[in-house]
Amino acid sequence: MGIISPGFTGRGRSGSDLPPGQYLTQDFPVLSAGPTPHVLPEHWEFTIATESGEMHRWDWAAFQRLPAEEITRDLHCVTRWSKLATDWKGVSLDALFEDVETAADFVMAHSYGGYTTNLPLEDLLDGQAWIAYQYDGEPLAAEHGGPARLLVPHLYLWKSAKWVRGLVLSDTDDLGFWETAGYHEYGDPWKEQRYAGD
Ligand SMILES: Nc1nc2c(c(=O)[nH]1)N[C@H]1C(S)=C(S)[C@@H](COP(=O)(O)O)O[C@H]1N2
Ligand SMILES: [Mo]
């Protein structure tokens, strides 16, 4: 048995906690609700649409000119695997929102391929979320959301939309793909918010 066994919820040697009901995995499972879209960087764009319809747009070149951060975070999937200390490189949502004027409280993330997931805007700001394009020092593989994915590691991983293509700001908290199917609208792994009503 390892130092950290399934069900262990104390403080691990890495300084990371394992949320309740999660087990550790060393590999990196792929969970996709449909086929993997293959988006070439030269065809990729990322947009932020405000609640008043104002569009902010970055193509791959403009996105690459934004300041990038290297981050190490734990991942927690609602199917109960957790992977600790994963290494990413990406642009923080703080940088992308710098010139965005909004009073909206909610965001719907949209992906190439049609996936959606909803989040409160405040969960994307203050160093909590990135558009990540490298994993473990390599360009992000298509199966894990490349060329770029949303990364919101403090929430269950279904909130980290792979192949993200844009965010739409809204005054109302609408439900995304898994949230419509009965998963929790917020998804805090520490509170085990797996399903609506948890
Ligand atoms: N576009 C898109 N993003 C997605 C998904 C998906 O099916 N489509 N699955 C989500 C779920 S349920 C999880 S657990 C993670 C899985 O990311 P991984 O395949 O890189 O492990 O992506 C999330 N983001
Ligand atoms: Mo998941």
Side-chain angles (χ1 to χ4, degrees):
M1 190 197 280
I3 292 165
I4 302 172
S5 56
F8 179 85
T9 54
R11 184 150 279 275
R13 290 209 310 188
S14 64
S16 302
D17 288 338
L18 199 54
Q22 296 293 111
Y23 66 85
L24 281 178
T25 185
Q26 302 300 326
D27 58 4
F28 194 173
V30 172
L31 283 103
S32 302
T36 294
H38 290 271
V39 185
L40 295 171
E42 56 265 39
H43 295 157
W44 181 92
E45 69 166 11
F46 179 75
T47 58
I48 297 177
T50 70
E51 69 277 24
S52 58
E54 193 189 337
M55 289 292 280
H56 299 257
R57 207 179 279 281
W58 295 263
D59 63 12
W60 190 254
F63 175 69
Q64 293 291 314
R65 285 194 293 271
L66 295 169
E69 297 175 4
E70 294 191 10
I71 51 181
T72 301
R73 291 292 185 284
D74 303 339
L75 307 179
H76 309 297
C77 175
V78 73
T79 62
R80 298 185 183 273
W81 59 266
S82 289
K83 184 171 176 59
L84 300 185
T86 60
D87 294 320
W88 300 84
K89 184 175 179 183
V91 175
S92 78
L93 270 291
D94 298 301
L96 288 154
F97 270 90
E98 200 163 275
D99 297 323
V100 176
E101 290 216 15
T102 179
D105 288 327
F106 303 103
V107 174
M108 187 72 75
H110 291 260
S111 294
Y112 291 97
Y115 185 85
T116 55
T117 188
N118 59 286
L119 308 108
L121 176 56
E122 64 178 18
D123 284 81
L124 295 182
L125 302 177
D126 297 322
Q128 297 184 91
W130 297 266
I131 304 296
Y133 57 90
Q134 275 187 23
Y135 172 76
D136 237 356
E138 302 286 342
L140 182 58
E143 63 195 20
H144 287 296
R149 77 182 294 170
L150 184 59
L151 183 65
V152 193
H154 70 286
L155 299 176
Y156 280 126
L157 199 57
W158 88 77
K159 298 289 183 179
S160 294
K162 304 199 284 189
W163 316 294
V164 68
R165 68 173 169 83
L167 305 178
V168 177
L169 293 156
S170 169
D171 297 323
T172 56
D173 192 9
D174 304 316
L175 300 179
F177 179 81
W178 284 119
E179 296 83 1
T180 304
Y183 283 83
H184 198 277
E185 63 172 18
Y186 183 63
D188 182 345
W190 301 98
K191 297 181 178 163
E192 268 204 279
Q193 292 173 340
R194 297 177 192 276
Y195 307 106
D198 282 353

